[in-house]
Amino acid sequence: AHEAVRKRGLVVADAGFDGGALNREDDAARIENHDAATMDSDVQRAAVSAAMDRLSLQQRQIIFLVFHRDLSLAQAARVCDISLGSARTHYHRAKQHLRTSLARSACATTKTEVRHV
């Protein structure tokens, strides 16, 4: 049974609902889990975007070329017209910055969630 359920403005289609009443605890739990997962992924996307915005232009370019275009560091260096050594430096510093920024973001989110509970 392909059924869509609307709750909190979200449409959840074919999420394992058996077509029964929505007040059943297992169906409600599935909706809540979907909402929580969606919220978590939105928070993660926002944190990554904010961390990427804080990188230098060269760091963003190298990270984009390596991770999104699947280029090697040597290929990314040629595209950016910089030496391989500079590309490595930008790449490693960008990863270090992202790791630190995202860890701080995760700690801040966890502290905020604990306060709201």
Side-chain angles (χ1 to χ4, degrees), residues 63-90:
I63 289 291
F64 176 79
L65 292 170
V66 171
F67 283 100
H68 293 283
R69 296 291 187 212
D70 291 325
L71 297 182
S72 68
L73 277 173
Q75 292 168 324
R78 282 194 295 274
V79 169
C80 292
D81 197 29
I82 59 176
S83 71
L84 179 56
S86 291
R88 283 187 182 134
T89 299
H90 289 302

Side-chain angles (χ1 to χ4, degrees), residues 40-111:
D40 287 346
S41 66
D42 290 346
V43 168
Q44 289 172 350
R45 253 188 234 105
V48 170
S49 180
M52 288 290 289
D53 288 344
R54 289 189 291 271
L55 296 177
S56 72
L57 177 61
Q58 287 278 248
Q59 290 172 340
R60 275 195 310 272
Q61 287 175 333
I62 294 294
I63 289 291
F64 176 79
L65 292 170
V66 171
F67 283 100
H68 293 283
R69 296 291 187 212
D70 291 325
L71 297 182
S72 68
L73 277 173
Q75 292 168 324
R78 282 194 295 274
V79 169
C80 292
D81 197 29
I82 59 176
S83 71
L84 179 56
S86 291
R88 283 187 182 134
T89 299
H90 289 302
Y91 177 72
H92 290 292
R93 286 183 182 167
K95 285 194 322 181
Q96 182 179 24
H97 177 79
L98 290 171
R99 195 175 296 124
T100 302
S101 293
L102 295 174
R104 284 184 190 146
S105 175
C107 286
T109 301
T110 302
K111 288 178 183 176

